[in-house]
């Protein structure tokens, strides 16, 4: 069983890395774009990416230079800045998400089979969630 889970994980990782590379992004830049569907502070993004704020600053600076992200004043905290996707950043994020969802190793599973696999994996991880 563990071997099958490991093989699936490797295939999913290879698929993800390939799709990210098509867009000339690093995996961390791609994850940042995914997480910035809603504006976040650098600290919030660092938490979502499980890394230190200085690492996020580097990633965001690169995305900012590419015109994908801007820093704006936080609407509730005048001391903080929010990271907000530009129009180009939103388009790139949508393209990334679309690419990640095509030709996946799970594509041959039906919607019901994918939902059952998700539920079984959550259960195995001890993260039972209510049905959607």
């Amino acid at each position: 069983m563990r071997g099958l889970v490991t093989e699936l994980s490797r295939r999913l990782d290879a698929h993800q890395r390939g799709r990210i590379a098509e867009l000339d992004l690093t995996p961390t830049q791609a994850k940042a774009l995914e997480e910035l569907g809603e504006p976040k502070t650098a600290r919030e993004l660092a938490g979502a990416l499980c890394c230190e704020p200085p690492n996020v600053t580097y990633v965001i600076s690169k995305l900012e230079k590419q015109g994908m992200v801007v820093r704006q004043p936080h609407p509730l905290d005048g001391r903080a800045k929010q990271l907000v996707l530009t129009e180009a950043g939103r388009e790139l994020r949508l393209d990334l998400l679309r690419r990640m969802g095509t030709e996946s190793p799970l594509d041959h599973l039906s919607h019901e089979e994918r939902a059952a696999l998700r539920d079984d994996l959550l259960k195995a991880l001890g993260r039972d969630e209510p049905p959607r």
Side-chain angles (χ1 to χ4, degrees):
M1 174 69 89
R2 184 176 61 198
L4 291 173
V5 172
T6 300
E7 182 179 346
L8 179 59
S9 176
R10 286 184 182 144
R11 287 185 186 190
L12 288 169
D13 185 58
H15 168 74
Q16 181 175 345
R17 288 183 180 278
R19 295 303 177 259
I20 290 168
E22 291 171 1
L23 296 171
D24 200 28
L25 296 168
T26 67
T28 306
Q29 288 172 326
K31 185 65 176 163
L33 286 171
E34 284 183 68
E35 291 293 333
L36 288 173
E38 297 291 327
K40 288 182 173 37
T41 64
R43 185 171 303 284
E44 291 169 335
L45 184 59
L49 298 178
C50 299
C51 68
E52 296 297 318
N55 294 343
V56 167
T57 300
Y58 176 77
V59 170
I60 293 305
S61 292
K62 291 193 82 159
L63 289 172
E64 198 172 27
K65 286 178 187 171
Q66 296 170 348
M68 301 298 149
V69 174
V70 293
R71 299 169 203 251
Q72 295 180 347
H74 193 286
L76 303 175
D77 182 352
R79 300 166 297 164
K81 299 276 186 189
Q82 277 190 324
L83 306 169
V84 180
L85 293 177
T86 62
E87 182 61 34
R90 286 189 295 274
E91 289 175 15
L92 180 59
R93 179 180 182 274
L94 289 175
D95 190 19
L96 172 66
L97 294 175
R98 182 186 56 78
R99 287 174 189 248
M100 298 285 265
T102 58
E103 299 178 18
S104 163
L106 301 178
D107 277 356
H108 66 280
L109 297 177
S110 70
H111 176 72
E112 292 79 15
E113 289 169 326
R114 275 183 264 150
L117 177 59
R118 176 187 178 276
D119 292 345
D120 289 344
L121 290 171
L122 285 169
K123 186 175 182 181
L125 293 169
R127 291 178 33 203
D128 288 331
E129 293 183 10
R132 310 184 261 157

